[in-house]
């Protein structure tokens, strides 16, 4: 009998995370909205009801270890297993100037807060989810990274965010290596420049397009890649 897969997506009350949940649910995955404000998570889930998609919400603040552990435990309580983890929640708070922010204006607190959410958040969730995935002999972990973190194309602008995404890429490689051999695949992806609160209204891609590669990685077959970095379902340089 085919196993129905379950998924937890962080920061899924809006933007790309919300769209990943929608696309996974359409594929029949029991996807769960992780939201630090559960009212916002419930409001997001309501938006999927007209499509016939009934999606649960769990409270998840990736800045809190307890919250990460509890969210994974809650998915296990609801569905008995956790097959897919999408580390999507992130912040871009570099200033002044947002994308134009300079290294020489970077405050330690900005870097600390960015790393807390964009790097430590995924570390916490991977640590919480991996034992379950090992037990199940199945897991798909998708880290939503960014071209901004590519060392091969590193440049100026928004330094805290860039460093956090390079570190997330390193985490992807480390987790893939440590979890190899148990049918657990860990990959990173770049969604492109997407029209969300973070990407802004002039970005070139829709959330639907931005979510596509993440959903593909979340549902990889057993012969799929691990430890890779992808955009548009194709490998890209680190
Ligand atoms: N948009 C782009 O062009 C673009 C490009 C490359 C990569 N990305 C990446 O794609 C992912 C999604 O981005 P997006 O554009 O959808 O961003 P977004 O619209 O700003 O949404 C970010 C999401 O992360 C959540 N979040 C932030 N801090 C959190 C925390 N401590 N705990 C739990 N959730 C938290 C937010 O929740 P609240 O609503 O509670 O704040 C929100 O749901 C991010 O990893 C981003 O770095 C985006």
């Amino acid at each position: 009998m085919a196993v129905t897969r379950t998924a937890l997506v962080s920061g899924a009350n809006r933007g790309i995370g919300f769209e990943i949940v929608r696309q996974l649910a359409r594929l029949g995955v029991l996807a769960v909205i992780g939201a630090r404000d559960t009212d916002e998570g419930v409001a997001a889930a309501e938006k999927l009801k007209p499509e016939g998609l009934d999606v649960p919400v769990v409270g998840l603040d990736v800045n809190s270890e307890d919250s990460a552990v509890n969210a994974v435990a809650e998915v296990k309580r609801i569905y008995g297993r956790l097959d897919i983890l999408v580390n999507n929640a992130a912040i871009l708070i570099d200033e002044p100037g947002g994308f134009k922010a300079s290294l020489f204006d970077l405050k330690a607190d900005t870097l600390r807060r960015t790393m807390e959410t964009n790097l430590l958040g995924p570390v916490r969730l991977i640590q919480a989810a991996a034992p379950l995935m090992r037990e199940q002999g199945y897991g798909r972990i998708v880290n939503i990274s960014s071209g901004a973190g590519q060392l091969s194309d590193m440049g100026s602008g928004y330094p805290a965010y860039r460093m956090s995404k390079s570190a997330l890429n390193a985490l992807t490689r480390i987790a893939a290596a440590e979890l190899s051999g148990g049918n657990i695949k860990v990959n990173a992806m770049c969604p492109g420049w997407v029209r969300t609160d973070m990407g802004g209204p002039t970005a070139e891609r829709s959330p639907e397009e931005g979510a596509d590669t993440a959903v593909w990685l979340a549902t990889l077959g057993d012969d799929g890649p691990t430890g890779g970095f992808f955009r548009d379902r194709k490998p890209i340089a680190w």
Side-chain angles (χ1 to χ4, degrees), residues 11 13-14 16 36 60-62 88 145 161 165 192 194 196:
N13 52 296
R14 59 187 167 99
I16 297 168
R36 59 178 159 177
L60 174 55
D61 180 346
V62 303
N88 167 78
S145 183
Y161 182 80
K165 292 300 188 181
V194 181
T196 61

Side-chain angles (χ1 to χ4, degrees), residues 10-18 34-37 40 60-64 87-92 99 117-118 144-148 161 165 168 189-200 203:
S10 67
N13 52 296
R14 59 187 167 99
I16 297 168
F18 174 69
R36 59 178 159 177
D37 181 327
E40 287 192 17
L60 174 55
D61 180 346
V62 303
N63 290 0
S64 155
N87 283 310
N88 167 78
I91 54 173
L92 195 169
F99 290 105
T117 302
N118 298 8
I144 309 301
S145 183
S146 169
Y161 182 80
K165 292 300 188 181
L168 180 64
M189 61 80 69
C190 167
W193 185 28
V194 181
R195 289 186 295 279
T196 61
D197 292 341
M198 185 185 288

Side-chain angles (χ1 to χ4, degrees), residues 7-238:
L8 173 63
V9 183
S10 67
N13 52 296
R14 59 187 167 99
I16 297 168
F18 174 69
E19 186 55 35
I20 291 170
V21 165
R22 187 209 301 266
Q23 291 186 21
L24 286 173
R26 279 183 184 155
L27 292 173
V29 173
L30 298 171
V32 179
I33 290 177
R36 59 178 159 177
D37 181 327
T38 45
D39 288 345
E40 287 192 17
V42 169
E46 284 297 320
K47 289 187 201 146
L48 298 177
K49 286 207 171 134
E51 289 184 47
L53 305 173
D54 196 5
V55 171
V57 177
V58 299
L60 174 55
D61 180 346
V62 303
N63 290 0
S64 155
E65 182 162 351
D66 283 353
S67 180
V69 167
N70 290 339
V72 169
E74 184 63 5
V75 177
K76 183 164 189 233
R77 192 189 63 76
I78 299 171
Y79 291 126
R81 52 189 294 132
L82 173 59
D83 299 296
I84 299 163
L85 168 66
V86 182
N87 283 310
N88 167 78
I91 54 173
L92 195 169
I93 56 168
D94 286 273
E95 59 184 13
F99 290 105
K100 292 191 182 132
S102 163
L103 172 66
F104 301 102
D105 294 318
L106 177 62
K107 304 252 187 317
D109 186 54
T110 301
L111 182 56
R112 239 180 248 123
R113 285 167 53 208
T114 302
M115 288 295 186
E116 185 71 47
T117 302
N118 298 8
L119 175 64
L120 277 159
V123 168
R124 291 182 182 108
L125 280 165
I126 290 172
Q127 286 178 338
L132 260 181
M133 291 177 169
R134 278 195 167 118
E135 209 177 289
Q136 294 161 184
Y138 184 95
R140 302 287 180 265
I141 298 172
V142 185
N143 294 330
I144 309 301
S145 183
S146 169
Q150 279 179 293
L151 290 175
S152 53
D153 191 34
M154 192 55 68
S156 62
Y158 47 119
Y161 182 80
R162 282 185 183 279
M163 286 188 262
S164 74
K165 292 300 188 181
S166 296
L168 180 64
N169 287 353
L171 170 65
T172 303
R173 299 285 292 180
I174 295 164
E178 291 215 23
L179 294 169
S180 71
N183 197 12
I184 303 174
K185 298 183 186 297
V186 188
N187 291 290
M189 61 80 69
C190 167
W193 185 28
V194 181
R195 289 186 295 279
T196 61
D197 292 341
M198 185 185 288
T202 58
E204 55 205 10
R205 294 186 175 201
S206 65
E208 289 81 352
E209 291 166 313
D212 174 75
T213 297
V215 171
W216 170 67
L217 290 169
T219 54
L220 282 176
D222 293 351
D223 57 350
T226 189
F229 189 19
F230 298 87
R231 184 189 291 130
D232 296 330
R233 301 191 181 202
K234 295 192 184 75
I236 56 173
W238 292 102

